[in-house]
Amino acid sequence: MQTHSQSGKTVQHNVPTSSASGLLNTHENVSAGRLSGAALQRATQHPQAMSSAQIMHLQRTIGNHSVAELFKQNSAATKPDEKPAEPLGASGTIQAAPTATKADIQRKVYIKKTLFGGYRNKTKSGRGSEGAGERNVKTMMGDDKSRYFNSKDEMSQYAANTTEKIGYVEKTNTWIRIPDELTVIGEKHTATTLHDVVKAVGTDKFMYEGYTEHPAEAADNPELKATMRQSDAIGDAKFGGVGSNPGAKSHYAESFYPKIIRGLQGIKVRYDYQIIGSEAEKKLLRIAIRFAASADEDSGLYRAYTAQEDLWNNTATSLEGDTMSAAPLTEAMQTAGSSALFTTFVQELTSYATAKIQQEQARASAADKKAFADNWHVAKVDYDVEGSEIMKAEKARDFSMFQHIKKAKSDGYLLYGLGDLHLQRIKKLLDAEGIKSENMNTFINNQAANHPQT
């Protein structure tokens, strides 16, 4: 036996033996029966060896439920004819939920174990009346979704809709927990998107490619301003209204000028002068026409617009319809037997917007310019080869996105969403900047592995 002083108290230690009782037989006769850190660790392995005073102290430290689990697991380990208890994981790791029986298959709320790591199944709670709808605590314990909380208090906060980092993605049936710092996620716009993630967690701290900054030219142009606001409203609806309340953070993820060039570079004029392009590209053509009306009056873009002002305005109005038809422009080109009207407009807009891009990029730091030049590259499968007009526009968009991502990080945003091709081109750059990024499939798969739906 060894004796020494500890905080003014005499503490006696029996030399441990190889028996189970000896492993915990430290007495550590602190008069209140408290456990030291080392003894607490041994208690997790041999709870039956604790004195009643030590058990009471452990109950106050980690809770009655956790103490009961210790005894249950230890008891199972000593009975070879029964199924062994599930091993405890390392602190901070997430253990797969236990196999459900008919009795508990509906109980799907898991609370992180504060001392031993992993999660425990929450089967009942005095907080059952908290929350409403699917977030009501009692409802969560009775439905078929598995939810994982760091504490009972976090469960209550989730029920009250005051969390912003946890939630259930309905499209993929996945419980997610986003990091405390910015995560950039690349997506396929037709699959699971940032809309689904944001609606699940409820944060307004996001930027998304679908939101484009309003150009300065919109200030004195009611038609352009209305068109840009309509685009914002469509985005708000796709996010379920999350982040659209007054005072919410800005979601604009890129500059207007490279995006408008990219939209027009993707449009083709068919042999019969029909305008061929995606829905997004036709929307950008409509915006480009409204934008041209506010271009500098001495610019070639403004002259191209005013030379056929009624035609361009009629085309913009037609593009706003359900069919998104560019019929007025098509008919004019058919009459002229030439696509010069459209090609000249695109050339002048590209020249005008490129000058604006150069002004914006001139304001970037030399370090950012060098980092981008050193790390940007075309994707393995991209729109065209580097140096083509469409890839010049894409490269300018990527630089603008890079600048917005850095701002998002410095301003405490949690999420930035962009198309997967953009992420492929700038991932090396983001890695060099220490900014976490991954594609949506990887993000969802990792979350599903960490939060099993059992």
Side-chain angles (χ1 to χ4, degrees):
M1 178 179 293
Q2 299 174 346
T3 304
H4 67 274
S5 296
Q6 182 182 33
S7 302
K9 301 175 183 178
T10 299
V11 181
Q12 295 177 332
H13 292 275
N14 285 348
V15 177
T17 69
S18 59
S19 67
S21 60
L23 285 170
L24 196 67
N25 189 22
T26 61
H27 289 307
E28 292 174 348
N29 245 348
V30 180
S31 58
R34 295 178 181 175
L35 291 169
S36 70
L40 187 59
Q41 179 66 29
R42 292 190 293 275
T44 67
Q45 300 170 354
H46 302 283
Q48 286 87 348
M50 288 187 291
S51 68
S52 59
Q54 290 170 336
I55 292 174
M56 290 178 64
H57 175 65
L58 190 61
Q59 286 173 321
R60 289 192 295 270
T61 303
I62 67 174
N64 293 339
H65 184 92
S66 294
V67 172
E69 277 199 354
L70 280 177
F71 279 89
K72 180 179 177 181
Q73 291 168 354
N74 186 263
S75 175
T78 60
K79 297 179 181 180
D81 57 329
E82 294 181 12
K83 184 179 179 181
E86 182 183 357
L88 292 171
S91 178
T93 63
I94 298 172
Q95 302 301 304
T99 302
T101 67
K102 288 184 178 179
D104 62 14
I105 196 168
Q106 293 292 307
R107 292 165 179 162
K108 296 281 190 171
V109 171
Y110 297 94
I111 307 294
K112 179 173 280 190
K113 299 173 184 176
T114 56
L115 184 62
F116 309 111
Y119 287 81
R120 63 183 175 88
N121 185 204
K122 187 74 173 169
T123 59
K124 58 183 178 180
S125 174
R127 309 185 187 199
S129 62
E130 295 181 1
E134 283 198 350
R135 293 200 178 203
N136 170 261
V137 172
K138 184 176 181 180
T139 298
M140 288 192 287
M141 291 182 177
D143 65 15
D144 60 356
K145 298 175 181 176
S146 294
R147 302 171 179 85
Y148 295 77
F149 301 104
N150 283 342
S151 66
K152 289 183 285 187
D153 286 344
E154 185 180 61
M155 176 184 70
S156 293
Q157 292 160 7
Y158 178 77
N161 275 299
T162 58
T163 56
E164 64 171 358
K165 298 172 186 172
I166 54 174
Y168 193 86
V169 178
E170 297 288 347
K171 185 178 285 186
T172 60
N173 298 317
T174 310
W175 180 261
I176 64 172
R177 180 181 293 275
I178 61 176
D180 294 333
E181 294 185 344
L182 180 69
T183 301
V184 178
I185 302 179
E187 65 177 48
K188 294 190 182 300
H189 298 316
T190 55
T192 305
T193 66
L194 198 74
H195 305 120
D196 302 300
V197 172
V198 167
K199 285 188 289 187
V201 300
T203 184
D204 71 343
K205 298 173 183 174
F206 68 90
M207 291 184 185
Y208 184 62
E209 180 186 338
Y211 289 98
T212 306
E213 286 182 343
H214 295 195
E217 289 82 358
D220 299 320
N221 185 329
E223 288 82 9
L224 178 58
K225 184 184 296 184
T227 300
M228 297 300 296
R229 286 180 174 172
Q230 182 185 29
S231 179
D232 292 345
I234 291 171
D236 292 345
K238 289 181 178 179
F239 280 102
V242 177
S244 61
N245 55 297
K249 286 182 172 289
S250 169
H251 308 309
Y252 298 131
E254 64 175 311
S255 167
F256 173 87
Y257 302 106
K259 191 166 190 173
I260 204 70
I261 294 176
R262 166 61 184 87
L264 269 63
Q265 289 295 336
I267 293 176
K268 306 300 179 186
V269 179
R270 207 166 62 182
Y271 66 92
D272 58 356
Y273 302 106
Q274 295 290 332
I275 296 294
I276 305 301
S278 68
E279 181 179 329
E281 288 164 344
K282 287 184 177 180
K283 285 181 179 178
L284 287 168
L285 173 57
R286 182 190 71 198
I287 293 172
I289 294 170
R290 300 302 188 194
F291 169 70
S294 292
D296 296 339
E297 292 185 1
D298 60 348
S299 67
L301 176 60
Y302 186 76
R303 289 193 295 271
Y305 167 78
T306 54
Q308 298 281 347
E309 185 170 351
D310 289 343
L311 169 64
W312 289 117
N313 287 339
N314 290 338
T315 300
T317 300
S318 182
L319 286 166
E320 290 169 355
D322 293 338
T323 61
M324 301 190 70
S325 168
L329 176 59
T330 293
E331 291 168 5
M333 290 190 292
Q334 288 172 339
T335 299
S338 168
S339 61
L341 267 174
F342 178 75
T343 55
T344 299
F345 182 84
V346 170
Q347 289 168 359
E348 294 296 347
L349 183 138
T350 299
S351 176
Y352 184 90
T354 297
K356 297 290 184 179
I357 292 168
Q358 291 169 348
Q359 292 172 16
E360 288 184 339
Q361 292 185 352
R363 296 193 288 269
S365 71
D368 283 354
K369 292 176 186 175
K370 184 178 187 307
F372 186 84
D374 290 345
N375 293 290
W376 183 90
H377 60 83
V378 296
K380 289 182 178 179
V381 179
D382 221 318
Y383 294 109
D384 205 340
V385 297
E386 184 174 358
S388 64
E389 290 302 318
I390 198 168
M391 289 308 300
K392 286 179 184 177
E394 285 291 320
K395 188 173 185 177
R397 290 183 68 195
D398 291 342
F399 185 82
S400 176
M401 289 179 177
F402 171 50
Q403 296 290 282
H404 282 76
I405 288 169
K406 291 197 68 175
K407 177 174 174 55
K409 182 180 180 180
S410 66
D411 289 352
Y413 280 68
L414 297 174
L415 295 166
Y416 184 103
L418 72 174
D420 193 53
L421 277 177
H422 293 289
L423 179 58
Q424 290 180 45
R425 298 187 207 114
I426 65 172
K427 181 162 179 53
K428 181 182 175 184
L429 172 63
L430 297 180
D431 289 346
E433 295 287 325
I435 298 174
K436 178 179 175 60
S437 65
E438 56 190 346
N439 67 45
M440 183 65 77
N441 286 342
T442 301
F443 172 78
I444 291 294
N445 289 341
N446 287 341
Q447 294 291 329
N450 288 338
H451 309 107
Q453 293 296 309
T454 57

PDB file of all heavy atoms in Angstrom, residues 320-344:
ATOM      1  N   GLU A 320     -39.434  35.575 -71.868  1.00  0.00           N
ATOM      2  CA  GLU A 320     -40.003  35.515 -70.528  1.00  0.00           C
ATOM      3  C   GLU A 320     -41.228  34.614 -70.460  1.00  0.00           C
ATOM      4  O   GLU A 320     -41.687  34.262 -69.376  1.00  0.00           O
ATOM      5  CB  GLU A 320     -40.370  36.924 -70.052  1.00  0.00           C
ATOM      6  CG  GLU A 320     -39.157  37.794 -69.768  1.00  0.00           C
ATOM      7  CD  GLU A 320     -39.519  39.252 -69.545  1.00  0.00           C
ATOM      8  OE1 GLU A 320     -40.711  39.594 -69.717  1.00  0.00           O
ATOM      9  OE2 GLU A 320     -38.622  40.041 -69.209  1.00  0.00           O
ATOM     10  N   GLY A 321     -41.767  34.227 -71.629  1.00  0.00           N
ATOM     11  CA  GLY A 321     -42.957  33.387 -71.672  1.00  0.00           C
ATOM     12  C   GLY A 321     -42.654  31.949 -71.297  1.00  0.00           C
ATOM     13  O   GLY A 321     -41.496  31.540 -71.141  1.00  0.00           O
ATOM     14  N   ASP A 322     -43.699  31.165 -71.181  1.00  0.00           N
ATOM     15  CA  ASP A 322     -43.561  29.763 -70.771  1.00  0.00           C
ATOM     16  C   ASP A 322     -42.722  28.949 -71.751  1.00  0.00           C
ATOM     17  O   ASP A 322     -42.008  28.018 -71.359  1.00  0.00           O
ATOM     18  CB  ASP A 322     -44.942  29.118 -70.611  1.00  0.00           C
ATOM     19  CG  ASP A 322     -45.724  29.709 -69.456  1.00  0.00           C
ATOM     20  OD1 ASP A 322     -45.094  30.289 -68.546  1.00  0.00           O
ATOM     21  OD2 ASP A 322     -46.967  29.599 -69.462  1.00  0.00           O
ATOM     22  N   THR A 323     -42.812  29.278 -73.032  1.00  0.00           N
ATOM     23  CA  THR A 323     -42.081  28.510 -74.047  1.00  0.00           C
ATOM     24  C   THR A 323     -40.645  28.994 -74.234  1.00  0.00           C
ATOM     25  O   THR A 323     -39.867  28.346 -74.936  1.00  0.00           O
ATOM     26  CB  THR A 323     -42.801  28.578 -75.397  1.00  0.00           C
ATOM     27  OG1 THR A 323     -42.870  29.953 -75.816  1.00  0.00           O
ATOM     28  CG2 THR A 323     -44.218  28.010 -75.286  1.00  0.00           C
ATOM     29  N   MET A 324     -40.315  30.125 -73.630  1.00  0.00           N
ATOM     30  CA  MET A 324     -38.971  30.713 -73.744  1.00  0.00           C
ATOM     31  C   MET A 324     -38.542  30.813 -75.209  1.00  0.00           C
ATOM     32  O   MET A 324     -37.445  30.422 -75.603  1.00  0.00           O
ATOM     33  CB  MET A 324     -37.950  29.905 -72.926  1.00  0.00           C
ATOM     34  CG  MET A 324     -38.273  29.824 -71.451  1.00  0.00           C
ATOM     35  SD  MET A 324     -36.935  29.119 -70.478  1.00  0.00           S
ATOM     36  CE  MET A 324     -35.721  30.416 -70.570  1.00  0.00           C
ATOM     37  N   SER A 325     -39.419  31.359 -76.004  1.00  0.00           N
ATOM     38  CA  SER A 325     -39.176  31.457 -77.439  1.00  0.00           C
ATOM     39  C   SER A 325     -38.442  32.753 -77.795  1.00  0.00           C
ATOM     40  O   SER A 325     -38.744  33.822 -77.258  1.00  0.00           O
ATOM     41  CB  SER A 325     -40.511  31.405 -78.187  1.00  0.00           C
ATOM     42  OG  SER A 325     -40.350  31.776 -79.535  1.00  0.00           O
ATOM     43  N   ALA A 326     -37.503  32.638 -78.727  1.00  0.00           N
ATOM     44  CA  ALA A 326     -36.807  33.804 -79.266  1.00  0.00           C
ATOM     45  C   ALA A 326     -37.333  34.113 -80.666  1.00  0.00           C
ATOM     46  O   ALA A 326     -36.595  34.571 -81.545  1.00  0.00           O
ATOM     47  CB  ALA A 326     -35.309  33.567 -79.292  1.00  0.00           C
ATOM     48  N   ALA A 327     -38.634  33.884 -80.856  1.00  0.00           N
ATOM     49  CA  ALA A 327     -39.249  33.993 -82.182  1.00  0.00           C
ATOM     50  C   ALA A 327     -38.985  35.326 -82.878  1.00  0.00           C
ATOM     51  O   ALA A 327     -38.658  35.335 -84.080  1.00  0.00           O
ATOM     52  CB  ALA A 327     -40.747  33.723 -82.086  1.00  0.00           C
ATOM     53  N   PRO A 328     -39.108  36.493 -82.213  1.00  0.00           N
ATOM     54  CA  PRO A 328     -38.861  37.747 -82.936  1.00  0.00           C
ATOM     55  C   PRO A 328     -37.459  37.810 -83.540  1.00  0.00           C
ATOM     56  O   PRO A 328     -37.288  38.252 -84.682  1.00  0.00           O
ATOM     57  CB  PRO A 328     -39.047  38.810 -81.848  1.00  0.00           C
ATOM     58  CG  PRO A 328     -40.020  38.182 -80.895  1.00  0.00           C
ATOM     59  CD  PRO A 328     -39.613  36.740 -80.848  1.00  0.00           C
ATOM     60  N   LEU A 329     -36.464  37.349 -82.796  1.00  0.00           N
ATOM     61  CA  LEU A 329     -35.100  37.363 -83.305  1.00  0.00           C
ATOM     62  C   LEU A 329     -34.937  36.362 -84.447  1.00  0.00           C
ATOM     63  O   LEU A 329     -34.329  36.669 -85.487  1.00  0.00           O
ATOM     64  CB  LEU A 329     -34.115  37.021 -82.177  1.00  0.00           C
ATOM     65  CG  LEU A 329     -32.638  36.898 -82.561  1.00  0.00           C
ATOM     66  CD1 LEU A 329     -32.121  38.194 -83.185  1.00  0.00           C
ATOM     67  CD2 LEU A 329     -31.798  36.522 -81.339  1.00  0.00           C
ATOM     68  N   THR A 330     -35.511  35.195 -84.277  1.00  0.00           N
ATOM     69  CA  THR A 330     -35.429  34.167 -85.320  1.00  0.00           C
ATOM     70  C   THR A 330     -36.045  34.675 -86.626  1.00  0.00           C
ATOM     71  O   THR A 330     -35.462  34.527 -87.715  1.00  0.00           O
ATOM     72  CB  THR A 330     -36.144  32.886 -84.869  1.00  0.00           C
ATOM     73  OG1 THR A 330     -35.427  32.315 -83.775  1.00  0.00           O
ATOM     74  CG2 THR A 330     -36.227  31.874 -86.004  1.00  0.00           C
ATOM     75  N   GLU A 331     -37.211  35.273 -86.553  1.00  0.00           N
ATOM     76  CA  GLU A 331     -37.909  35.774 -87.743  1.00  0.00           C
ATOM     77  C   GLU A 331     -37.097  36.867 -88.431  1.00  0.00           C
ATOM     78  O   GLU A 331     -37.027  36.923 -89.675  1.00  0.00           O
ATOM     79  CB  GLU A 331     -39.286  36.293 -87.357  1.00  0.00           C
ATOM     80  CG  GLU A 331     -40.239  35.173 -86.931  1.00  0.00           C
ATOM     81  CD  GLU A 331     -41.497  35.706 -86.266  1.00  0.00           C
ATOM     82  OE1 GLU A 331     -41.669  36.959 -86.229  1.00  0.00           O
ATOM     83  OE2 GLU A 331     -42.304  34.891 -85.767  1.00  0.00           O
ATOM     84  N   ALA A 332     -36.471  37.739 -87.642  1.00  0.00           N
ATOM     85  CA  ALA A 332     -35.661  38.809 -88.231  1.00  0.00           C
ATOM     86  C   ALA A 332     -34.456  38.230 -88.965  1.00  0.00           C
ATOM     87  O   ALA A 332     -34.090  38.689 -90.066  1.00  0.00           O
ATOM     88  CB  ALA A 332     -35.208  39.778 -87.150  1.00  0.00           C
ATOM     89  N   MET A 333     -33.824  37.216 -88.385  1.00  0.00           N
ATOM     90  CA  MET A 333     -32.666  36.588 -89.037  1.00  0.00           C
ATOM     91  C   MET A 333     -33.103  35.830 -90.280  1.00  0.00           C
ATOM     92  O   MET A 333     -32.392  35.825 -91.305  1.00  0.00           O
ATOM     93  CB  MET A 333     -31.945  35.662 -88.054  1.00  0.00           C
ATOM     94  CG  MET A 333     -31.214  36.393 -86.936  1.00  0.00           C
ATOM     95  SD  MET A 333     -30.127  35.328 -85.940  1.00  0.00           S
ATOM     96  CE  MET A 333     -31.324  34.290 -85.090  1.00  0.00           C
ATOM     97  N   GLN A 334     -34.288  35.197 -90.244  1.00  0.00           N
ATOM     98  CA  GLN A 334     -34.791  34.489 -91.417  1.00  0.00           C
ATOM     99  C   GLN A 334     -35.049  35.457 -92.553  1.00  0.00           C
ATOM    100  O   GLN A 334     -34.727  35.181 -93.723  1.00  0.00           O
ATOM    101  CB  GLN A 334     -36.075  33.736 -91.056  1.00  0.00           C
ATOM    102  CG  GLN A 334     -35.853  32.517 -90.172  1.00  0.00           C
ATOM    103  CD  GLN A 334     -37.154  31.918 -89.672  1.00  0.00           C
ATOM    104  OE1 GLN A 334     -38.196  32.590 -89.637  1.00  0.00           O
ATOM    105  NE2 GLN A 334     -37.102  30.645 -89.270  1.00  0.00           N
ATOM    106  N   THR A 335     -35.598  36.615 -92.230  1.00  0.00           N
ATOM    107  CA  THR A 335     -35.868  37.632 -93.250  1.00  0.00           C
ATOM    108  C   THR A 335     -34.574  38.139 -93.873  1.00  0.00           C
ATOM    109  O   THR A 335     -34.473  38.316 -95.101  1.00  0.00           O
ATOM    110  CB  THR A 335     -36.648  38.808 -92.633  1.00  0.00           C
ATOM    111  OG1 THR A 335     -37.895  38.329 -92.121  1.00  0.00           O
ATOM    112  CG2 THR A 335     -36.880  39.902 -93.660  1.00  0.00           C
ATOM    113  N   ALA A 336     -33.575  38.349 -93.010  1.00  0.00           N
ATOM    114  CA  ALA A 336     -32.292  38.846 -93.508  1.00  0.00           C
ATOM    115  C   ALA A 336     -31.454  37.750 -94.146  1.00  0.00           C
ATOM    116  O   ALA A 336     -30.505  38.045 -94.900  1.00  0.00           O
ATOM    117  CB  ALA A 336     -31.511  39.484 -92.350  1.00  0.00           C
ATOM    118  N   GLY A 337     -31.806  36.501 -93.872  1.00  0.00           N
ATOM    119  CA  GLY A 337     -31.010  35.389 -94.390  1.00  0.00           C
ATOM    120  C   GLY A 337     -29.622  35.348 -93.786  1.00  0.00           C
ATOM    121  O   GLY A 337     -28.663  34.886 -94.408  1.00  0.00           O
ATOM    122  N   SER A 338     -29.508  35.831 -92.549  1.00  0.00           N
ATOM    123  CA  SER A 338     -28.204  35.920 -91.911  1.00  0.00           C
ATOM    124  C   SER A 338     -28.376  35.891 -90.386  1.00  0.00           C
ATOM    125  O   SER A 338     -29.386  36.376 -89.853  1.00  0.00           O
ATOM    126  CB  SER A 338     -27.496  37.215 -92.314  1.00  0.00           C
ATOM    127  OG  SER A 338     -26.358  37.445 -91.503  1.00  0.00           O
ATOM    128  N   SER A 339     -27.373  35.359 -89.698  1.00  0.00           N
ATOM    129  CA  SER A 339     -27.387  35.352 -88.231  1.00  0.00           C
ATOM    130  C   SER A 339     -26.568  36.509 -87.654  1.00  0.00           C
ATOM    131  O   SER A 339     -26.269  36.536 -86.451  1.00  0.00           O
ATOM    132  CB  SER A 339     -26.803  34.029 -87.713  1.00  0.00           C
ATOM    133  OG  SER A 339     -25.456  33.877 -88.151  1.00  0.00           O
ATOM    134  N   ALA A 340     -26.227  37.484 -88.509  1.00  0.00           N
ATOM    135  CA  ALA A 340     -25.356  38.585 -88.086  1.00  0.00           C
ATOM    136  C   ALA A 340     -25.936  39.364 -86.904  1.00  0.00           C
ATOM    137  O   ALA A 340     -25.191  39.843 -86.047  1.00  0.00           O
ATOM    138  CB  ALA A 340     -25.091  39.518 -89.257  1.00  0.00           C
ATOM    139  N   LEU A 341     -27.252  39.501 -86.845  1.00  0.00           N
ATOM    140  CA  LEU A 341     -27.868  40.224 -85.724  1.00  0.00           C
ATOM    141  C   LEU A 341     -27.421  39.629 -84.392  1.00  0.00           C
ATOM    142  O   LEU A 341     -27.006  40.340 -83.475  1.00  0.00           O
ATOM    143  CB  LEU A 341     -29.396  40.148 -85.829  1.00  0.00           C
ATOM    144  CG  LEU A 341     -30.124  41.272 -86.543  1.00  0.00           C
ATOM    145  CD1 LEU A 341     -31.610  40.922 -86.674  1.00  0.00           C
ATOM    146  CD2 LEU A 341     -29.970  42.574 -85.765  1.00  0.00           C
ATOM    147  N   PHE A 342     -27.519  38.313 -84.311  1.00  0.00           N
ATOM    148  CA  PHE A 342     -27.187  37.644 -83.055  1.00  0.00           C
ATOM    149  C   PHE A 342     -25.681  37.620 -82.824  1.00  0.00           C
ATOM    150  O   PHE A 342     -25.208  37.929 -81.722  1.00  0.00           O
ATOM    151  CB  PHE A 342     -27.729  36.214 -83.061  1.00  0.00           C
ATOM    152  CG  PHE A 342     -27.396  35.441 -81.809  1.00  0.00           C
ATOM    153  CD1 PHE A 342     -28.062  35.688 -80.617  1.00  0.00           C
ATOM    154  CD2 PHE A 342     -26.411  34.464 -81.820  1.00  0.00           C
ATOM    155  CE1 PHE A 342     -27.745  34.987 -79.459  1.00  0.00           C
ATOM    156  CE2 PHE A 342     -26.097  33.749 -80.673  1.00  0.00           C
ATOM    157  CZ  PHE A 342     -26.762  34.010 -79.479  1.00  0.00           C
ATOM    158  N   THR A 343     -24.897  37.239 -83.811  1.00  0.00           N
ATOM    159  CA  THR A 343     -23.452  37.105 -83.617  1.00  0.00           C
ATOM    160  C   THR A 343     -22.802  38.451 -83.271  1.00  0.00           C
ATOM    161  O   THR A 343     -21.892  38.516 -82.438  1.00  0.00           O
ATOM    162  CB  THR A 343     -22.785  36.512 -84.863  1.00  0.00           C
ATOM    163  OG1 THR A 343     -23.117  37.304 -86.014  1.00  0.00           O
ATOM    164  CG2 THR A 343     -23.235  35.083 -85.088  1.00  0.00           C
ATOM    165  N   THR A 344     -23.304  39.538 -83.899  1.00  0.00           N
ATOM    166  CA  THR A 344     -22.770  40.869 -83.574  1.00  0.00           C
ATOM    167  C   THR A 344     -23.095  41.242 -82.135  1.00  0.00           C
ATOM    168  O   THR A 344     -22.248  41.785 -81.409  1.00  0.00           O
ATOM    169  CB  THR A 344     -23.336  41.924 -84.531  1.00  0.00           C
ATOM    170  OG1 THR A 344     -22.956  41.613 -85.870  1.00  0.00           O
ATOM    171  CG2 THR A 344     -22.824  43.319 -84.180  1.00  0.00           C
TER     172      THR A 344
END
